[in-house]
Amino acid sequence: MTIEAIDFGRLYRDHLATTARTRKTASAWDSRAAGMASKALNSRYAEEFVARMDLHGATSLLDVGCGPGTIGLAVAHQLQRVVGLDYSSAMLGAMRAKAAEMQLANVETLHRAWEDDWSDVPECDIVVASRSTTVEDIATALEQLHAKARLRVYLTHLVGGHFTDPAVQAVIGRQVPSVPDYIYLLNILHRMGIHPRLDYIAHENRLADAVDFDDFARRVAWSVGDLDGDERARLRTWYERATPQERRGTPMRWAFIAWEKEPC
C-alpha cells in the first residue's frame, strides 16, 4: 500500500468514533461565554497566533469557531471587515459586545455551525479557525476553510489528542481515549494538493489557573465528563497533596497550520 491509497478523512472519522466523544452543545458553550470573553484578548496563545499571521494585502477576515472573538478582534483594527462565525449565540454576543467596547464598527457575526449551509458565508481574504477544528468530518471542514479564503488560511489543531493532562486522568482512574490530532490534517491537505507551513504553540493548560479545588474539578469534568463520587474523592486527595507545579500539569500544544491560496 502507498500513502496515496489511504483515505485520511475516513481514518480521522474512524478514530473520532472510537472516542465516543459527545460534541459540546451550543448551550454548553453559551454558559462559558462571559468567562472566556473576559480574558480572550489578553492571552499569550492569542499573541502567538496573531504573530504568525501575515495580513499583507488583506482587508477582510473570517473567524470560524470564533468564540468571543479571540483572534478576529485582535486584528480587527488592521482590517476593513471581520466576520465571526460560531454556533454559540452567547459567544457571538460576547464578540459583538467586546467590539462595541473597542469602538470597532467593522465587526459582524454569523450564527452557523460547521455542518450548516455555508452558502451565505462570505469569502474573505483571510480565514482562521483557532482551536475549533475537532469536528465530525475534518476533510469537509478543511475544504470549507479553503473555499472561503482568497489569500490565506490559518488554523490550530490539538497535538497529542488529549484536552486534559493524562496524569490527571490517571489520578481519577479514567483513561480517556485520544481524539485525532493534527497529523490527519496534514495528510488530508497533502491529498488536496496543499503543502502547509507547520509550527507549534504551547501554553498553560486550562487547569493551571484554577482558583481552588472546586474550580479545578469543574474544569476536569468539562473535558472528561461528570465525575462520580469516587473519582472526585481521588482527585481531591491528589489535589491537596500536589505541588502547584503538579496541579498546573503539562502545557497544551497546538499545531499551527497555515497555507496560501494559489492564484486561479
Side-chain angles (χ1 to χ4, degrees):
M1 178 183 288
T2 65
I3 195 169
E4 286 78 11
I6 301 172
D7 183 345
F8 286 98
R10 179 175 179 178
L11 282 180
Y12 172 98
R13 295 192 300 272
D14 290 347
H15 184 160
L16 189 64
T18 68
T19 69
R21 183 175 185 269
T22 301
R23 182 184 181 187
K24 292 287 191 297
T25 63
S27 60
W29 286 110
D30 287 347
S31 68
R32 296 192 61 200
M36 290 179 64
S38 66
K39 54 187 178 181
L41 298 182
N42 300 313
S43 70
R44 186 167 60 84
Y45 168 86
E47 292 177 0
E48 293 201 29
F49 191 109
V50 170
R52 289 164 169 78
M53 295 174 65
D54 176 9
L55 299 182
H56 178 72
T59 61
S60 59
L61 179 142
L62 173 64
D63 188 351
V64 179
C66 61
T70 304
I71 303 302
L73 294 181
V75 297
H77 63 289
Q78 302 177 62
L79 300 165
Q80 295 176 15
R81 185 187 191 191
V82 170
V83 181
L85 182 153
D86 206 290
Y87 75 133
S88 164
S89 58
M91 289 291 185
L92 297 176
M95 184 178 186
R96 292 192 298 270
K98 188 64 177 178
E101 180 185 322
M102 297 170 67
Q103 299 184 323
L104 294 170
N106 60 337
V107 175
E108 58 195 89
T109 59
L110 274 175
H111 190 205
R112 296 286 187 282
W114 285 97
E115 301 80 13
D116 290 340
D117 178 7
W118 277 32
S119 59
D120 64 342
V121 176
E123 290 185 13
C124 290
D125 295 321
I126 306 292
V127 174
V128 302
S130 170
R131 300 184 293 195
S132 62
T133 53
T134 303
V135 296
E136 296 296 324
D137 186 347
I138 191 58
T140 297
L142 292 172
E143 291 170 358
Q144 289 172 288
L145 297 176
H146 189 70
K148 294 299 179 180
R150 297 193 191 100
L151 298 178
R152 303 172 197 102
V153 179
Y154 301 103
L155 67 85
T156 47
H157 195 89
L158 187 65
V159 175
H162 290 284
F163 291 100
T164 297
D165 191 336
V168 173
Q169 297 177 32
V171 166
I172 64 175
R174 190 190 302 187
Q175 185 175 1
V176 180
S178 67
V179 298
D181 86 346
Y182 75 99
I183 202 67
Y184 289 95
L185 281 67
L186 296 182
N187 284 290
I188 293 168
L189 289 170
H190 181 270
R191 178 61 61 85
M192 292 169 62
I194 296 169
H195 306 288
R197 174 164 55 90
L198 175 65
D199 200 354
Y200 299 94
I201 298 175
H203 66 99
E204 288 189 331
N205 69 56
R206 61 184 309 272
L207 302 178
D209 60 349
V211 297
D212 56 23
F213 171 74
D214 288 338
D215 187 24
F216 189 90
R218 277 194 298 272
R219 296 180 186 215
V220 172
W222 170 263
S223 293
V224 306
D226 291 340
L227 304 178
D228 63 29
D230 288 341
E231 290 172 332
R232 186 178 176 86
R234 286 193 291 270
L235 186 61
R236 180 183 288 276
T237 297
W238 173 85
Y239 181 88
E240 292 174 350
R241 295 175 180 172
T243 66
Q245 179 59 47
E246 288 171 333
R247 292 176 185 173
R248 282 194 294 271
T250 57
M252 292 282 291
R253 293 187 73 213
W254 298 90
F256 182 91
I257 301 172
W259 68 92
E260 303 268 345
K261 286 290 291 277
E262 295 292 336
C264 297

